[in-house]
């Protein structure tokens, strides 16, 4: 068996969810909303199943979805994308990431990763034969520094895997960070795989800037989006990949033999959703922002040290002021003794783990958040 995969432990997400099921805990670990998602988009999917096309769609995705994506990203992010040569539909962002790594890495190439990182990244990089080089980000700002990038980049750097907005920190990299990253990519002739699945889930009036929109990165960026996050339908697994034609031609070869296509009915519904008026997107953000504010205020009232959350479904708490120095142990006790499941942020690091931050998902109904706060009162700082 392959040693990289067989040596992987069960993820902490599964461990915490299992403990939550066993103990009947409020599960603020896994990142999915309680809300069933926009009814019109779900109706479109249902109609497409009943009345639409249910055989293999085109390998690159339904033309109507690629056209809708081009219009959508022109409108929201100022991107000029050719739907025929620069957009591909995948089965979730996860397939897009796996395919991009397979397509762009030759064994022995170095891949720059920013930790804390989404759990799929490292095993996929290793399985593709990439040599990971880490940039370690630390709280409270989780920002980039020139020194850290200089340590990670080398003449062997081929790919940079960059997530913005960043899960689990709920931070957004600003223009200065993107300038620095672009400068290193250009100097090292590296391609940036940009996981932008949280691009629409941003708060406080923020507008997402895609790395693909920078003229200096236009020919060396793979932008990855996820309808699951755009429409709060995380189970749908419809991803969008955008890149210049020369890169896209190779990405499509990986997709061709990984999944080949993605359910056409869901694609039709996503095409419809991407054309929804601005008010839908603004309303979605406002709803999540309200949940964030409710949960953050409740935590602060209890005396917890809440870190800023600029986007995503997550809010982080610094547990050092509680006298805690082991986030995994803290989360185990929190779920078994207090009945609230959360995720220790150290699980998102490969080396140099930060062990004093715990991630909560606030994309839940008020009653769920309030029940969690009631239970968390037992852990309030004394
Ligand atoms: C940073 C990041 N990338 C990718 C994904 C997976 O996206 P999908 O469900 O479209 O595969 C997630 C899901 O939480 C995520 O947070």
């Amino acid at each position: 068996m392959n040693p990289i995969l067989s040596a992987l432990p069960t993820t902490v997400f599964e461990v915490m969810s299992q403990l939550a099921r066993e103990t009947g805990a409020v599960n603020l670990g896994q990142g999915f909303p309680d809300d069933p998602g926009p009814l019109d988009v779900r109706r479109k999917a249902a109609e497409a199943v009943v009345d639409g096309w249910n055989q293999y769609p085109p390998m690159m995705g339904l033309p109507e979805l690629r056209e809708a994506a081009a219009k959508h990203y022109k409108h929201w992010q100022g991107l000029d994308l050719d739907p025929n040569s620069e957009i591909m539909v995948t089965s979730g962002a996860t397939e897009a990431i796996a395919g991009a790594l397979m397509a762009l890495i030759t064994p022995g190439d170095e891949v720059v990763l920013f930790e804390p990182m989404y759990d799929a990244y490292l095993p996929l990089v290793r399985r593709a034969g990439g040599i990971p080089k880490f940039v370690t980000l630390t709280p409270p700002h989780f920002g980039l520094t020139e020194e850290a990038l200089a340590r990670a980049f080398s003449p062997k750097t081929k790919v940079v895997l960059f997530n913005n907005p960043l899960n689990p920190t709920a931070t957004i990299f600003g223009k200065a960070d993107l300038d620095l990253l672009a400068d290193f990519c250009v100097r090292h002739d590296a391609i940036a795989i940009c996981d932008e699945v949280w691009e629409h889930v941003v708060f406080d009036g923020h507008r997402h800037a895609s790395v693909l929109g920078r003229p200096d990165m236009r020919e060396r960026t793979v932008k990855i989006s996820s309808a699951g996050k755009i429409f709060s339908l995380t189970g749908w697994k419809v991803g969008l990949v955008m890149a210049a034609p020369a890169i896209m031609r190779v990405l499509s070869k990986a997709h061709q033999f990984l999944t080949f296509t993605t359910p056409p009915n869901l694609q039709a519904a996503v095409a419809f959703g991407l054309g929804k008026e601005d008010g839908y997107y603004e309303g979605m953000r406002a709803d999540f922002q309200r949940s964030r504010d409710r949960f953050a205020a409740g935590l602060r009232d209890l005396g917890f040290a809440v870190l800023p959350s600029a986007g995503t479904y997550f809010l982080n708490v610094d547990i050092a002021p509680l006298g805690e120095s082991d986030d995994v142990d803290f989360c185990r006790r929190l779920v078994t003794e207090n009945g609230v499941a959360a995720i220790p942020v150290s699980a998102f690091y490969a080396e140099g783990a930060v062990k004093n931050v715990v991630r909560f998902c606030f994309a839940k109904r008020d009653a769920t958040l309030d029940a969690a706060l009631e239970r968390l009162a037992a852990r309030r700082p004394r």
Side-chain angles (χ1 to χ4, degrees):
M1 285 183 285
N2 179 267
I4 294 167
L5 297 183
S6 61
L8 284 178
T10 307
T11 73
V12 70
F13 304 91
E14 187 45 36
V15 172
M16 289 301 161
S17 286
Q18 179 67 26
L19 281 172
R21 281 192 291 274
E22 281 166 20
T23 58
V26 179
N27 191 353
L28 302 187
Q30 257 185 337
F32 61 88
D34 269 351
D35 191 87
L39 183 60
D40 53 355
V41 177
R42 289 185 287 128
R43 279 227 166 94
K44 251 326 193 234
E47 278 165 24
V49 169
V50 176
D51 304 323
W53 178 255
N54 287 283
Q55 309 304 339
Y56 292 130
M59 197 257 281
M60 295 301 283
L62 290 189
E64 70 194 82
L65 175 51
R66 286 182 279 128
E67 273 150 33
K71 279 202 192 101
H72 181 88
Y73 286 108
K74 175 76 186 165
H75 174 67
W76 284 97
Q77 296 174 15
L79 302 179
D80 284 306
L81 291 160
D82 174 9
N84 294 318
S85 61
E86 297 190 308
I87 302 180
M88 179 170 75
V89 181
T90 57
S91 293
T94 308
E95 188 217 311
I97 296 163
L101 293 170
M102 281 174 68
L104 300 176
I105 295 173
T106 302
D109 286 343
E110 291 183 1
V111 179
V112 174
L113 294 164
F114 301 83
E115 48 171 10
M117 69 201 145
Y118 187 59
D119 61 342
Y121 291 178
L122 186 54
L124 290 174
V125 166
R126 290 210 164 112
R127 192 66 187 87
I131 313 292
K133 295 284 163 183
F134 299 105
V135 174
T136 301
L137 309 173
T138 52
H141 302 300
F142 299 97
L144 297 180
T145 65
E146 185 159 0
E147 298 68 41
L149 289 179
R151 275 196 300 275
F153 276 78
S154 88
K156 287 191 183 161
T157 305
K158 177 61 72 70
V159 167
V160 175
L161 182 41
F162 184 65
N163 176 211
N164 186 35
L166 179 60
N167 172 17
T169 63
T171 50
I172 295 176
F173 291 99
K175 183 166 183 313
D177 291 315
L178 299 187
D179 286 348
L180 200 57
L181 182 69
D183 184 44
F184 272 85
C185 287
V186 172
R187 267 197 279 144
H188 291 82
D189 194 20
I191 295 178
I193 301 175
C194 295
D195 178 343
E196 300 183 356
V197 300
W198 296 103
E199 60 198 344
H200 269 298
V201 191
V202 292
F203 310 128
D204 308 312
H206 188 86
R207 197 130 178 152
H208 178 75
S210 176
V211 177
L212 190 67
R214 300 176 56 104
D216 54 350
M217 293 297 289
R218 185 66 177 78
E219 304 298 315
R220 56 174 74 254
T221 297
V222 177
K223 170 180 170 66
I224 295 175
S225 301
S226 170
K229 301 297 189 288
I230 297 175
F231 301 111
S232 320
L233 295 164
T234 59
W236 273 25
K237 306 298 280 191
V238 178
L240 290 163
V241 188
M242 288 146 274
I247 298 180
M248 184 57 83
R249 274 194 287 279
V250 188
L251 301 182
S252 67
K253 304 280 169 55
H255 169 65
Q256 152 173 268
F257 296 129
L258 269 173
T259 58
F260 184 57
T261 56
T262 297
N265 22 62
L266 296 183
Q267 291 194 49
V270 172
F272 163 80
L274 289 177
K276 274 165 79 75
E277 70 294 349
D278 291 8
Y280 162 72
Y281 293 91
E282 281 151 12
M284 177 268 289
R285 289 173 194 179
D287 286 347
F288 284 127
Q289 184 171 320
R290 201 190 55 77
S291 298
R292 175 201 67 172
D293 291 345
R294 183 185 185 94
F295 193 52
L299 286 169
R300 283 200 192 95
D301 285 349
L302 290 172
F304 287 101
V306 179
L307 298 179
S309 165
T312 77
Y313 300 154
F314 307 114
L315 195 66
N316 291 289
V317 166
D318 181 356
I319 56 170
L322 303 173
E324 301 280 352
S325 54
D326 184 338
D327 57 346
V328 176
D329 179 56
F330 177 81
C331 285
R332 272 186 193 282
R333 282 184 282 123
L334 194 63
V335 67
T336 54
E337 295 170 18
N338 305 102
V340 180
I343 299 292
V345 164
S346 63
F348 297 83
Y349 285 84
E351 36 176 69
V354 166
K355 295 185 70 64
N356 62 305
V357 179
V358 167
R359 190 194 81 173
F360 294 91
C361 173
F362 60 74
K364 304 291 175 188
R365 289 190 193 94
D366 287 354
T368 310
L369 296 177
D370 293 349
L373 287 167
E374 227 168 77
R375 293 165 181 215
L376 282 161
R379 291 264 166 217
R380 68 195 304 170
R382 307 269 169 210

